[in-house]
Amino acid sequence: SQKIEQNSEALNIQEGKTATLTCNYTNYSPAYLQWYRQDPGRGPVFLLLIRENEKEKRKERLKVTFDTTLKQSLFHITASQPADSATYLCALEAGYSTLTFGKGTMLLVSP
Amino acid sequence: SAVISQKPSRDICQRGTSLTIQCQVDSQVTMMFWYRQQPGQSLTLIATANQGSEATYESGFVIDKFPISRPNLTFSTLTVSNMSPEDSSIYLCSVGGEGYNEQFFGPGTRLTVL
């Protein structure tokens, strides 16, 4: 069956460092992959989309890679700030404009 | 982008009752989606609601339990019927962005069933 795995343990890093979050998937061949940010008590907010024919995408301090051979995406936040603390969700295209989400990884950036 | 509001933001309900959640979008959209997010779990798609047609439900979700209305291009409702404590969850609606790639989410409705 289709499966998306994100590290369930929170990632703790110090301000200024680069945070790297991982999304692995099995039994999928998604046309694209997305990353969302979710703060407590709020709905997810779209961050980045990367298509299957793209290796890397950047937006300001964010970078996403997509390796369809490894079935893995890495999400990087450079020069991290305490305001980056949130849960980050990976989502894969699942056909008919629908998405399948991972459970998310909580990022905690300490000053 | 789209601005989405949901009502109620939270509710506490008794077992066996039903709750209708409203989702309002500030622009006309063809597809609206309803998700459930149980504690510690991922967002799970319940159904896709297109205006003018029956909602399409995902495996494990049925219309009798989660009836959906989509009376126009800016509004949808999801009813959680005959609730049990297992239905305690956050329910979110979303709409597809341009090209139906990114999705924009409402703030969610936190439901607790006693």
Side-chain angles (χ1 to χ4, degrees), chain B residues 10 13 19 24 30 34 39-40 54 63 65 67 72 77-78 88-89 95-96 109:
Chain B
R10 58 178 61 224
C13 301
L19 176 72
Q24 180 76 52
T30 303
W34 285 98
E54 294 287 326
I63 187 171
K65 176 67 177 177
N72 57 53
T77 67
L78 170 78
S88 297
S89 184
V95 301
T109 296

PDB file of all heavy atoms in Angstrom, chain B residues 10 13 19 24 30 34 39-40 54 63 65 67 72 77-78 88-89 95-96 109:
ATOM      1  N   ARG B  10     -14.778  25.448  16.997  1.00  0.00           N
ATOM      2  CA  ARG B  10     -14.694  24.286  17.865  1.00  0.00           C
ATOM      3  C   ARG B  10     -16.076  23.988  18.440  1.00  0.00           C
ATOM      4  O   ARG B  10     -16.936  24.867  18.495  1.00  0.00           O
ATOM      5  CB  ARG B  10     -13.685  24.492  18.982  1.00  0.00           C
ATOM      6  CG  ARG B  10     -13.955  25.682  19.876  1.00  0.00           C
ATOM      7  CD  ARG B  10     -12.918  25.771  20.985  1.00  0.00           C
ATOM      8  NE  ARG B  10     -11.578  25.948  20.451  1.00  0.00           N
ATOM      9  CZ  ARG B  10     -10.518  25.277  20.914  1.00  0.00           C
ATOM     10  NH1 ARG B  10     -10.641  24.389  21.874  1.00  0.00           N
ATOM     11  NH2 ARG B  10      -9.326  25.509  20.401  1.00  0.00           N
ATOM     12  N   CYS B  13     -19.653  17.970  21.588  1.00  0.00           N
ATOM     13  CA  CYS B  13     -20.955  17.387  21.269  1.00  0.00           C
ATOM     14  C   CYS B  13     -21.150  16.086  22.027  1.00  0.00           C
ATOM     15  O   CYS B  13     -20.193  15.425  22.434  1.00  0.00           O
ATOM     16  CB  CYS B  13     -21.056  17.122  19.761  1.00  0.00           C
ATOM     17  SG  CYS B  13     -20.859  18.601  18.747  1.00  0.00           S
ATOM     18  N   LEU B  19     -23.267  17.139  13.814  1.00  0.00           N
ATOM     19  CA  LEU B  19     -22.752  18.508  13.732  1.00  0.00           C
ATOM     20  C   LEU B  19     -22.494  18.849  12.274  1.00  0.00           C
ATOM     21  O   LEU B  19     -21.891  18.052  11.545  1.00  0.00           O
ATOM     22  CB  LEU B  19     -21.453  18.652  14.511  1.00  0.00           C
ATOM     23  CG  LEU B  19     -20.774  20.032  14.408  1.00  0.00           C
ATOM     24  CD1 LEU B  19     -21.571  21.061  15.199  1.00  0.00           C
ATOM     25  CD2 LEU B  19     -19.328  19.989  14.889  1.00  0.00           C
ATOM     26  N   GLN B  24     -16.595  28.542   3.993  1.00  0.00           N
ATOM     27  CA  GLN B  24     -16.868  29.658   3.077  1.00  0.00           C
ATOM     28  C   GLN B  24     -15.561  30.134   2.457  1.00  0.00           C
ATOM     29  O   GLN B  24     -14.572  30.349   3.160  1.00  0.00           O
ATOM     30  CB  GLN B  24     -17.512  30.813   3.853  1.00  0.00           C
ATOM     31  CG  GLN B  24     -17.840  32.034   3.021  1.00  0.00           C
ATOM     32  CD  GLN B  24     -19.067  31.835   2.171  1.00  0.00           C
ATOM     33  OE1 GLN B  24     -20.125  31.443   2.647  1.00  0.00           O
ATOM     34  NE2 GLN B  24     -18.942  32.092   0.879  1.00  0.00           N
ATOM     35  N   THR B  30     -14.017  25.473  -8.113  1.00  0.00           N
ATOM     36  CA  THR B  30     -14.735  24.290  -8.567  1.00  0.00           C
ATOM     37  C   THR B  30     -14.661  23.172  -7.530  1.00  0.00           C
ATOM     38  O   THR B  30     -15.661  22.567  -7.181  1.00  0.00           O
ATOM     39  CB  THR B  30     -14.146  23.793  -9.894  1.00  0.00           C
ATOM     40  OG1 THR B  30     -14.199  24.851 -10.848  1.00  0.00           O
ATOM     41  CG2 THR B  30     -14.916  22.594 -10.422  1.00  0.00           C
ATOM     42  N   TRP B  34     -12.574  18.091   1.895  1.00  0.00           N
ATOM     43  CA  TRP B  34     -12.743  17.978   3.340  1.00  0.00           C
ATOM     44  C   TRP B  34     -11.751  16.946   3.877  1.00  0.00           C
ATOM     45  O   TRP B  34     -11.652  15.837   3.352  1.00  0.00           O
ATOM     46  CB  TRP B  34     -14.166  17.559   3.689  1.00  0.00           C
ATOM     47  CG  TRP B  34     -15.162  18.670   3.529  1.00  0.00           C
ATOM     48  CD1 TRP B  34     -15.993  18.890   2.464  1.00  0.00           C
ATOM     49  CD2 TRP B  34     -15.425  19.715   4.465  1.00  0.00           C
ATOM     50  NE1 TRP B  34     -16.758  20.015   2.684  1.00  0.00           N
ATOM     51  CE2 TRP B  34     -16.428  20.534   3.911  1.00  0.00           C
ATOM     52  CE3 TRP B  34     -14.917  20.036   5.732  1.00  0.00           C
ATOM     53  CZ2 TRP B  34     -16.944  21.655   4.568  1.00  0.00           C
ATOM     54  CZ3 TRP B  34     -15.419  21.145   6.386  1.00  0.00           C
ATOM     55  CH2 TRP B  34     -16.424  21.943   5.812  1.00  0.00           C
ATOM     56  N   PRO B  39      -5.650  13.369  16.340  1.00  0.00           N
ATOM     57  CA  PRO B  39      -4.440  13.679  17.120  1.00  0.00           C
ATOM     58  C   PRO B  39      -3.266  12.791  16.738  1.00  0.00           C
ATOM     59  O   PRO B  39      -3.379  11.562  16.704  1.00  0.00           O
ATOM     60  CB  PRO B  39      -4.901  13.415  18.559  1.00  0.00           C
ATOM     61  CG  PRO B  39      -6.379  13.623  18.536  1.00  0.00           C
ATOM     62  CD  PRO B  39      -6.831  13.150  17.193  1.00  0.00           C
ATOM     63  N   GLY B  40      -2.153  13.429  16.414  1.00  0.00           N
ATOM     64  CA  GLY B  40      -0.941  12.690  16.084  1.00  0.00           C
ATOM     65  C   GLY B  40      -0.961  12.002  14.733  1.00  0.00           C
ATOM     66  O   GLY B  40      -0.039  11.244  14.420  1.00  0.00           O
ATOM     67  N   GLU B  54     -22.433  14.976  -7.074  1.00  0.00           N
ATOM     68  CA  GLU B  54     -22.282  14.305  -5.788  1.00  0.00           C
ATOM     69  C   GLU B  54     -20.818  14.337  -5.348  1.00  0.00           C
ATOM     70  O   GLU B  54     -19.908  14.265  -6.176  1.00  0.00           O
ATOM     71  CB  GLU B  54     -22.721  12.842  -5.907  1.00  0.00           C
ATOM     72  CG  GLU B  54     -24.207  12.652  -6.195  1.00  0.00           C
ATOM     73  CD  GLU B  54     -25.066  12.950  -4.968  1.00  0.00           C
ATOM     74  OE1 GLU B  54     -24.608  12.681  -3.850  1.00  0.00           O
ATOM     75  OE2 GLU B  54     -26.169  13.475  -5.146  1.00  0.00           O
ATOM     76  N   ILE B  63     -21.155   8.356   2.696  1.00  0.00           N
ATOM     77  CA  ILE B  63     -22.044   9.525   2.646  1.00  0.00           C
ATOM     78  C   ILE B  63     -22.996   9.553   3.832  1.00  0.00           C
ATOM     79  O   ILE B  63     -23.334  10.632   4.322  1.00  0.00           O
ATOM     80  CB  ILE B  63     -22.800   9.569   1.298  1.00  0.00           C
ATOM     81  CG1 ILE B  63     -23.597  10.868   1.157  1.00  0.00           C
ATOM     82  CG2 ILE B  63     -23.702   8.350   1.148  1.00  0.00           C
ATOM     83  CD1 ILE B  63     -24.186  11.075  -0.222  1.00  0.00           C
ATOM     84  N   LYS B  65     -22.471   8.773   6.841  1.00  0.00           N
ATOM     85  CA  LYS B  65     -21.771   9.257   8.025  1.00  0.00           C
ATOM     86  C   LYS B  65     -21.313  10.704   7.862  1.00  0.00           C
ATOM     87  O   LYS B  65     -21.345  11.479   8.800  1.00  0.00           O
ATOM     88  CB  LYS B  65     -20.560   8.356   8.281  1.00  0.00           C
ATOM     89  CG  LYS B  65     -19.664   8.778   9.445  1.00  0.00           C
ATOM     90  CD  LYS B  65     -20.359   8.640  10.789  1.00  0.00           C
ATOM     91  CE  LYS B  65     -19.408   8.996  11.927  1.00  0.00           C
ATOM     92  NZ  LYS B  65     -20.089   8.934  13.231  1.00  0.00           N
ATOM     93  N   PRO B  67     -22.331  13.308   5.265  1.00  0.00           N
ATOM     94  CA  PRO B  67     -22.988  13.956   4.119  1.00  0.00           C
ATOM     95  C   PRO B  67     -22.411  15.339   3.869  1.00  0.00           C
ATOM     96  O   PRO B  67     -22.087  16.077   4.801  1.00  0.00           O
ATOM     97  CB  PRO B  67     -24.463  14.022   4.542  1.00  0.00           C
ATOM     98  CG  PRO B  67     -24.463  13.821   6.026  1.00  0.00           C
ATOM     99  CD  PRO B  67     -23.251  13.031   6.371  1.00  0.00           C
ATOM    100  N   ASN B  72     -23.164  26.054  -3.917  1.00  0.00           N
ATOM    101  CA  ASN B  72     -22.648  27.038  -4.878  1.00  0.00           C
ATOM    102  C   ASN B  72     -21.128  26.970  -4.896  1.00  0.00           C
ATOM    103  O   ASN B  72     -20.522  26.118  -4.217  1.00  0.00           O
ATOM    104  CB  ASN B  72     -23.146  28.448  -4.541  1.00  0.00           C
ATOM    105  CG  ASN B  72     -22.764  28.863  -3.132  1.00  0.00           C
ATOM    106  OD1 ASN B  72     -21.597  28.801  -2.764  1.00  0.00           O
ATOM    107  ND2 ASN B  72     -23.754  29.274  -2.347  1.00  0.00           N
ATOM    108  N   THR B  77     -20.765  22.418   3.105  1.00  0.00           N
ATOM    109  CA  THR B  77     -20.919  21.943   4.472  1.00  0.00           C
ATOM    110  C   THR B  77     -20.575  20.466   4.550  1.00  0.00           C
ATOM    111  O   THR B  77     -20.779  19.716   3.589  1.00  0.00           O
ATOM    112  CB  THR B  77     -22.348  22.133   5.011  1.00  0.00           C
ATOM    113  OG1 THR B  77     -23.249  21.286   4.296  1.00  0.00           O
ATOM    114  CG2 THR B  77     -22.792  23.573   4.920  1.00  0.00           C
ATOM    115  N   LEU B  78     -20.051  20.083   5.700  1.00  0.00           N
ATOM    116  CA  LEU B  78     -19.781  18.687   6.031  1.00  0.00           C
ATOM    117  C   LEU B  78     -20.533  18.388   7.321  1.00  0.00           C
ATOM    118  O   LEU B  78     -20.396  19.133   8.302  1.00  0.00           O
ATOM    119  CB  LEU B  78     -18.290  18.455   6.245  1.00  0.00           C
ATOM    120  CG  LEU B  78     -17.895  17.088   6.821  1.00  0.00           C
ATOM    121  CD1 LEU B  78     -17.948  16.011   5.740  1.00  0.00           C
ATOM    122  CD2 LEU B  78     -16.495  17.123   7.439  1.00  0.00           C
ATOM    123  N   SER B  88     -13.881  12.471  17.319  1.00  0.00           N
ATOM    124  CA  SER B  88     -13.176  13.640  17.850  1.00  0.00           C
ATOM    125  C   SER B  88     -11.933  13.876  17.011  1.00  0.00           C
ATOM    126  O   SER B  88     -11.074  13.001  16.872  1.00  0.00           O
ATOM    127  CB  SER B  88     -12.785  13.408  19.310  1.00  0.00           C
ATOM    128  OG  SER B  88     -13.928  13.255  20.119  1.00  0.00           O
ATOM    129  N   SER B  89     -11.870  15.062  16.446  1.00  0.00           N
ATOM    130  CA  SER B  89     -10.807  15.329  15.469  1.00  0.00           C
ATOM    131  C   SER B  89     -10.870  16.796  15.079  1.00  0.00           C
ATOM    132  O   SER B  89     -11.779  17.520  15.480  1.00  0.00           O
ATOM    133  CB  SER B  89     -11.029  14.449  14.237  1.00  0.00           C
ATOM    134  OG  SER B  89      -9.988  14.598  13.307  1.00  0.00           O
ATOM    135  N   VAL B  95      -9.312  24.311  -0.617  1.00  0.00           N
ATOM    136  CA  VAL B  95      -9.612  24.497  -2.038  1.00  0.00           C
ATOM    137  C   VAL B  95      -8.310  24.431  -2.806  1.00  0.00           C
ATOM    138  O   VAL B  95      -7.229  24.709  -2.259  1.00  0.00           O
ATOM    139  CB  VAL B  95     -10.324  25.845  -2.304  1.00  0.00           C
ATOM    140  CG1 VAL B  95     -11.616  25.916  -1.511  1.00  0.00           C
ATOM    141  CG2 VAL B  95      -9.422  27.020  -1.992  1.00  0.00           C
ATOM    142  N   GLY B  96      -8.411  24.035  -4.072  1.00  0.00           N
ATOM    143  CA  GLY B  96      -7.224  23.962  -4.902  1.00  0.00           C
ATOM    144  C   GLY B  96      -6.816  25.329  -5.376  1.00  0.00           C
ATOM    145  O   GLY B  96      -7.664  26.176  -5.650  1.00  0.00           O
ATOM    146  N   THR B 109     -11.996  22.996  12.245  1.00  0.00           N
ATOM    147  CA  THR B 109     -13.019  22.902  13.286  1.00  0.00           C
ATOM    148  C   THR B 109     -12.597  21.785  14.228  1.00  0.00           C
ATOM    149  O   THR B 109     -12.463  20.639  13.811  1.00  0.00           O
ATOM    150  CB  THR B 109     -14.400  22.586  12.691  1.00  0.00           C
ATOM    151  OG1 THR B 109     -14.812  23.673  11.855  1.00  0.00           O
ATOM    152  CG2 THR B 109     -15.422  22.352  13.796  1.00  0.00           C
TER     153      THR B 109
END
